[in-house]
Structures are given as C-alpha cells and as structure tokens.
Amino acid sequence: MYLTIKEVAEYLSFPEEYVKKLIQEGKIRAVFDGENYLLNKEQFNTHLEQMEKYKKQIEEYLNEPIPEDMDVKDED
C-alpha cells in the first residue's frame, strides 16, 4: 500500500517537512509518479516495532531500582 507524504506524516506523527527531508537524504525510499512522492507503508512497520521495543527498554531501565552503595556512610 502506497501513501502520500501527508499520509505518512500523519501515520508517523511527524511534520511533513521532516518526511520530505528524509526522502531527500535517501533515508526513506519513495517513488515519484510525476506529481507526488509515494511511499510504501510496509517500510515503516519494522521501524515502528523497533521504536516500541526501544521505548520499553528505556522504561524498564528507568524503573529499575537504584542499588544501595556499600561505600556510603551514614553521617549523623
């Protein structure tokens, strides 16, 4: 399924200008049909899955308890 730049921007929650920049830099594959750039939706599914996995890893890291430092002395 092919999407326009506007549809991709809405799908990824990015600004349209950012999507255009990614196309110009060659980071996103696109087909130009003479009027519009068309992007294959499937190329973003892997990216979105990786981003979700990355978010979960960061969340787990941030929720990990801080171990007590054995060298800290209680000074009263």
Side-chain angles (χ1 to χ4, degrees):
M1 174 179 199
Y2 286 92
L3 304 172
T4 63
I5 291 176
K6 182 178 181 179
E7 292 169 335
V8 169
E10 290 173 3
Y11 180 65
L12 299 176
S13 300
F14 289 152
E16 286 183 46
E17 294 302 317
Y18 181 70
V19 175
K20 289 177 186 177
K21 180 181 173 189
L22 293 175
I23 293 170
Q24 291 173 349
E25 293 175 353
K27 295 181 179 179
I28 296 178
R29 291 177 288 156
V31 176
F32 188 70
D33 71 351
E35 295 181 17
N36 298 313
Y37 280 99
L38 300 175
L39 299 94
N40 189 342
K41 183 178 178 180
E42 295 301 316
Q43 69 180 317
F44 301 109
N45 291 341
T46 302
H47 173 72
L48 292 173
E49 289 170 4
Q50 290 174 347
M51 291 301 293
E52 287 299 318
K53 183 179 176 183
Y54 181 66
K55 286 179 186 178
K56 287 179 184 178
Q57 288 175 342
I58 289 181
E59 186 177 315
E60 289 173 3
Y61 175 76
L62 292 176
N63 290 332
E64 187 175 308
I66 299 173
E68 289 189 32
D69 189 5
M70 300 302 286
D71 294 334
V72 175
K73 296 180 182 176
D74 186 22
E75 297 179 14
D76 288 336

